[in-house]
């Protein structure tokens, strides 16, 4: 079944930070969305996140000559690899930007086959809202997530832990990042949510579901839903930059 993809994005510095170090881009014809979160405590995080998002968007839009024939997963891995290299090079070239890094979570859908792939580094997340249930599709690459999996912290303790944003991997650092790739099939009616941790630090999955249900029920547009998620995170404290990208899948006719 051929599909149609609609997208919306929303980003906000939140209530406590003067700069927005998140970056986001989404493209309906290209069937993709990308979210990046410049690393807190590192210089030039906003530069890193914008650089990474731009590079991934460019690579997914055009495909390089070398990967036009490659599968969706290979294209995504190549896009993330290029972004990682760009951020690392820029960090080395400019002393003011040394050590900058960023998370990256990108989703691309092939509208003709219905295949999708997520490329993921760091702790920005991808969720799927399907038939009234919300499923986390990515695994946070963080110290606290490893502690949760080892049974030493609960998810709720991890969410509130002072080290919750300590990443085990990011783009632009000395060691080349190895993205997690998640592949699958979309279904008509699916809604994919990509977000920075400024959303999930403020909102539980149940909070997110409440916003999605309210907005779906009222038949608002995707943009309104994206804005409503950001507003809800600000209502809950807005301690970090908040970024959301939504990608909705419907039958093409
Ligand atoms: Ca953040």
């Amino acid at each position: 079944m051929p599909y149609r993809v609609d997208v919306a994005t929303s980003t906000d510095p939140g209530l406590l930070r003067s700069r927005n170090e998140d970056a986001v881009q989404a493209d309906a014809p290209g069937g993709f969305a990308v979210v990046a979160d410049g690393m807190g405590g590192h210089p030039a995080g906003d530069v890193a996140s914008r650089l990474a998002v731009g590079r991934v968007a460019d690579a997914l839009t055009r495909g390089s000559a070398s990967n036009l024939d490659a599968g969706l997963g290979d294209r995504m891995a190549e896009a993330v690899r290029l972004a990682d290299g760009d951020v690392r090079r820029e960090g080395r070239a400019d002393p003011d930007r040394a050590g900058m890094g960023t998370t990256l979570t990108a989703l691309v859908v092939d509208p003709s086959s219905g295949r999708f792939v997520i490329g993921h580094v760091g702790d920005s997340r991808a969720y799927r809202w399907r038939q009234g249930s919300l499923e986390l599709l990515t695994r946070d690459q963080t110290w606290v997530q490893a502690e949760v999996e080892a049974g030493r912290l609960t998810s709720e303790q991890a969410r509130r832990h002072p080290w919750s944003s300590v990443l085990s991997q990011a783009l632009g650092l000395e060691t080349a990042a190895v993205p997690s790739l998640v592949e699958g099939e979309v279904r008509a009616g699916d809604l994919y949510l990509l977000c920075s941790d400024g959303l999930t630090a403020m909102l539980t999955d149940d909070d997110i579901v409440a916003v999605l249900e309210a907005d779906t029920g009222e038949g608002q547009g995707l943009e309104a839903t994206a804005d409503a998620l950001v507003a809800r995170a600000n209502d809950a404290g807005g301690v970090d930059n908040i970024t959301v990208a939504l990608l909705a899948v419907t039958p093409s006719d």
Side-chain angles (χ1 to χ4, degrees):
M1 181 202 288
Y3 297 93
R4 199 181 90 173
V5 170
D6 293 301
V7 297
T9 64
S10 187
T11 185
D12 190 87
L15 302 180
L16 301 185
R17 302 209 170 164
S18 54
R19 291 203 313 176
N20 192 345
E21 298 195 326
D22 289 354
V24 62
Q25 196 170 327
D27 183 79
F32 69 83
V34 196
V35 166
D37 178 350
M39 282 171 62
H42 286 251
D46 53 338
V47 175
S49 61
R50 268 163 218 145
L51 205 57
V53 164
R55 179 55 131 163
V56 167
D58 186 62
L60 293 178
T61 304
R62 299 183 200 186
S64 65
S66 63
N67 71 9
L68 272 181
D69 294 333
L72 218 50
D74 290 343
R75 281 179 57 201
M76 178 63 83
E78 172 75 355
V80 176
R81 193 185 64 76
L82 290 169
D84 188 25
D86 279 5
V87 178
R88 184 176 305 105
R89 252 190 312 282
E90 188 70 21
R92 284 177 179 162
D94 183 344
D96 288 343
R97 296 173 177 173
M100 69 178 179
T102 184
T103 73
L104 187 111
T105 299
L107 167 74
V108 62
V109 176
D110 175 358
S112 54
S113 69
R115 297 288 301 168
F116 76 84
V117 61
I118 295 164
H120 170 69
V121 174
D123 67 350
S124 301
R125 290 180 176 175
Y127 288 89
R128 175 168 57 208
W129 172 245
R130 175 182 279 175
Q131 293 179 328
S133 80
L134 188 71
E135 183 185 359
L136 179 61
L137 300 177
T138 49
R139 174 187 169 273
D140 291 351
Q141 296 172 353
T142 56
W143 179 82
V144 289
Q145 179 60 31
E147 291 297 292
V148 169
E149 288 166 13
R152 290 190 284 266
L153 289 176
T154 66
S155 300
E156 196 50 32
Q157 286 170 333
R159 213 165 66 81
R160 298 172 182 281
H161 199 283
W163 297 355
S164 64
S165 58
V166 175
L167 303 179
S168 47
Q169 238 203 153
L171 295 193
L173 305 187
E174 278 307 308
T175 310
V178 180
S180 297
L181 296 179
V182 181
E183 301 192 49
E185 301 266 351
V186 299
R187 283 193 213 154
D190 281 354
L191 179 67
Y192 294 84
L193 161 66
L194 274 53
C195 60
S196 64
D197 70 335
L199 186 85
T200 46
M202 294 290 101
L203 303 184
T204 63
D205 287 6
D206 287 346
D207 295 331
I208 294 171
V209 165
V211 175
L212 296 178
E213 277 178 338
D215 283 22
T216 308
E218 290 161 21
Q220 295 186 43
L222 267 191
E223 292 284 351
T225 305
D227 290 342
L229 285 164
V230 170
R232 179 79 172 245
N234 272 329
D235 288 346
V239 301
D240 194 4
N241 306 149
I242 306 153
T243 298
V244 163
L246 295 174
L247 193 150
V249 177
T250 50
S252 66
D253 270 311

